[in-house]
Amino acid sequence: MPDNSFLTELLAKALELTGKLERPEAMKFFVDTARELTGAHYSALGVLDAHGDTVEFFFSGLDATHASKIGSPPAGLGIIAEIPAQGALIINDLPHHPRAAGYPKHHPHMENFLGVIVPVNEQVWGRLYLTDKPGGFTKDDATKMEMLAHAASIAVQNSYLYTASQNRARWLAASQNIVSSLLEGTEEEESLQVITEEMRIAARADVALMILPSIKNNWMCEIVAGAGSEKFRGLNFPPDGRAQTVIREQNGLVIDSMQRLTTVRIPLMREYGPALYAPLVSKGVGRGVIILLRHLKAAEFDLHDLTMAENVAQQAAFAMELVQARHAQEMALELDERARIARDLHDLAIQQLFASGLH
């Protein structure tokens, strides 16, 4: 077991790690600390998605220029896949290990290896691995990293809570901006643009689409927001597609990756990863749907995102109904005014005709 002096240092580092609320900052500190405590030349952390693919990658001991030459992060195969769910994997003669092969061209040479998982809610959230320690890794190193990985797990959960509070604040701000814009007398098309853009910002999506009813029972992408979104404008969304299904069932939907889906009826959607569908519902009537898209390899939407998006979409639908009612009232007033003017003109014309007749 590690000695008392090291346990004190490890505890101090663990406390510092769990105190970091921004996840990228916490994970960078995690890999730096792991390398420092073991004396390894390199350390890295691969964060996994629900399918076990690496979606985020943090490293230490390698400069950014060299890392860019390596290219994509490890796919979680070979020795990385052998890291156990409990304990650690130590390989001190890596070049002769049967599964130590297939490294990218610019990957640094590695003599030894230590890997542990980072568990979050009893699932494998990520894998930490270290390489090239002079003299090789020991059981003490493994114990240290398991303890540090559990501290990282706490830091991850804290960061999720912090992120959730930030998300809630963004969605609240979006809701306020949408309702204020709609109630201030903004034109309908401009109001729809505000809804789409505000929801894109709140969800940290790259693209947002608003699908609305068109002619002959068609549903069309009328409003878009975000870089590269213009290619969707004017596209019809088929009756058997996900968008119209969400409108009919009035239940939102989260998709981990559009690219992985077997069936995608709008081919352009395959260019994106995570997606979220939020129905615009008012008085039990589906008035449209907002689709939020993130780029490939981006973080997935979660159920909290879906709940917040559905709530804001519902508020937006109510506000849209008020705008339409106000617009109808204005049209009615305008028609009444036109009718009054017509009556006045009619009376004036009769008077002029009568005068002409007398003349």
Side-chain angles (χ1 to χ4, degrees):
M1 289 291 294
D3 58 34
N4 290 335
S5 61
F6 175 77
L7 287 175
T8 302
E9 182 184 7
L10 178 61
L11 179 60
K13 292 290 187 181
L15 289 173
E16 187 175 355
L17 174 59
T18 56
K20 294 185 180 296
L21 297 178
E22 294 285 353
R23 191 161 58 85
E25 179 189 359
M27 295 305 98
K28 185 63 172 69
F29 179 83
F30 174 44
V31 293
D32 286 341
T33 301
R35 188 167 69 91
E36 175 188 338
L37 293 177
T38 58
H41 284 167
Y42 309 106
S43 65
L45 169 68
V47 181
L48 310 179
D49 64 9
H51 298 272
D53 296 329
T54 303
V55 291
E56 287 184 284
F57 193 66
F58 302 89
F59 56 87
S60 180
L62 198 65
D63 62 80
T65 302
H66 194 165
S68 64
K69 292 180 181 178
I70 296 175
S72 301
L77 304 175
I79 59 173
I80 295 176
E82 294 182 6
I83 298 175
Q86 299 288 335
L89 174 65
I90 296 177
I91 303 173
N92 279 324
D93 189 13
L94 194 58
H96 296 94
H97 192 276
R99 298 191 66 182
Y103 303 125
K105 181 179 179 181
H106 297 283
H107 198 284
H109 178 72
M110 298 183 295
E111 287 291 335
N112 44 48
F113 178 93
L114 167 61
V116 298
I117 68 156
V118 178
V120 174
N121 296 327
E122 299 182 355
Q123 295 183 343
V124 179
W125 179 84
R127 298 188 184 102
L128 169 71
Y129 50 93
L130 304 102
T131 65
D132 270 16
K133 175 184 177 179
F137 292 102
T138 66
K139 290 184 178 180
D140 278 355
D141 292 323
T143 302
K144 299 172 188 177
M145 292 305 98
E146 287 182 75
M147 296 170 68
L148 191 65
H150 282 287
S153 174
I154 296 172
V156 170
Q157 294 176 72
N158 288 344
S159 73
Y160 281 147
L161 294 174
Y162 177 66
T163 300
S165 68
Q166 287 186 315
N167 287 347
R168 196 174 296 110
R170 283 200 311 274
W171 281 109
L172 179 60
S175 177
Q176 292 173 339
N177 292 339
I178 289 170
V179 173
S180 297
S181 174
L182 293 175
L183 298 182
E184 283 173 359
T186 309
E187 291 295 327
E188 184 174 0
E189 184 172 349
E190 185 179 347
S191 299
L192 298 179
Q193 187 67 54
V194 169
I195 293 171
T196 308
E197 178 63 17
E198 287 290 341
M199 291 188 69
R200 185 191 70 82
I201 293 172
R204 291 186 172 179
D206 297 295
V207 166
L209 314 174
M210 181 180 285
I211 316 304
L212 297 172
S214 183
I215 59 174
K216 296 183 179 179
N217 296 322
N218 290 325
W219 290 79
M220 181 182 292
C221 180
E222 300 277 3
I223 308 294
V224 298
S229 61
E230 281 296 328
K231 59 194 174 191
F232 290 98
R233 193 188 297 273
L235 290 180
N236 279 317
F237 281 68
D240 55 346
R242 292 175 183 82
Q244 289 208 43
T245 300
V246 166
I247 294 169
R248 285 193 299 269
E249 297 180 356
Q250 299 181 13
N251 288 317
L253 176 67
V254 168
I255 296 172
D256 57 1
S257 176
M258 296 300 297
Q259 195 177 57
R260 290 198 188 100
L261 292 177
T262 304
T263 305
V264 178
R265 291 171 177 80
I266 305 294
L268 287 175
M269 304 282 276
R270 283 200 182 275
E271 298 177 8
Y272 294 87
L276 186 153
Y277 292 68
L280 295 161
V281 181
S282 175
K283 295 181 179 179
V285 177
R287 302 183 180 277
V289 61
I290 290 281
I291 303 176
L292 302 169
L293 301 170
R294 288 176 178 166
H295 290 315
L296 296 172
K297 299 296 184 181
E300 299 173 10
F301 293 104
D302 57 28
L303 294 180
H304 177 266
D305 293 319
L306 179 61
T307 300
M308 298 303 293
E310 287 180 320
N311 289 340
V312 172
Q314 187 175 37
Q315 291 176 358
F318 284 138
M320 284 169 59
E321 188 176 354
L322 289 176
V323 169
Q324 291 169 355
R326 186 179 65 222
H327 181 65
Q329 184 180 25
E330 291 172 352
M331 289 293 293
L333 291 174
E334 185 177 344
L335 290 174
D336 287 344
E337 181 65 14
R338 288 181 180 179
R340 185 190 64 78
I341 294 171
R343 287 194 300 270
D344 291 346
L345 290 173
H346 179 265
D347 292 345
L348 178 61
I350 290 176
Q351 290 172 9
Q352 288 176 340
L353 286 171
F354 184 70
S356 296
L358 289 176
H359 180 69

